[in-house]
Amino acid sequence: RYTTLMQLLKFVIIGGFSAVLDLILLYVFTDILGFYYLVSACMSFNIVLLIAFFVHKKYTFVCTRKDVWKQYLSFFLVNVSSF
């Protein structure tokens, strides 16, 4: 039970960090660098998705499987379906 709660806490913290990072990158790409907002949204989404995947893999789920790109593809598809 403790392990599950710790995993949930890590998941929520990393998810919150990812959301904040996404907003920061969106602001930087759009308002500072002058990219079109849809381009900025796609770029920030993909950068944050990649970071979130590896952080979740290492710290939340402590996954040591070697098929990283297969895992990333699954992670990507689930997240894109919510985009």
Side-chain angles (χ1 to χ4, degrees):
R1 179 161 163 75
Y2 175 77
T3 305
T4 304
L5 288 176
M6 286 306 296
Q7 190 176 35
L8 178 62
L9 181 62
K10 289 177 187 178
F11 186 81
V12 169
I13 290 170
I14 293 168
F17 169 76
S18 297
V20 169
L21 181 59
D22 188 40
L23 291 173
I24 291 169
L25 288 175
L26 183 62
Y27 170 75
V28 167
F29 290 144
T30 304
D31 292 346
I32 295 175
L33 298 177
F35 286 102
Y36 183 60
Y37 77 96
L38 291 176
V39 173
S40 296
C42 289
M43 289 186 334
S44 66
F45 176 80
N46 283 297
I47 291 168
V48 169
L49 192 66
L50 190 63
I51 292 168
F53 171 75
F54 284 106
V55 173
H56 276 305
K57 181 174 171 53
K58 181 164 179 72
Y59 296 106
T60 305
F61 303 111
V62 191
C63 180
T64 58
R65 287 176 33 198
K66 300 296 181 196
D67 59 339
V68 175
W69 293 112
K70 184 177 179 183
Q71 293 173 26
Y72 181 73
L73 180 60
S74 297
F75 187 77
F76 177 81
L77 292 174
V78 166
N79 281 278
V80 165
S81 69
S82 68
F83 189 51

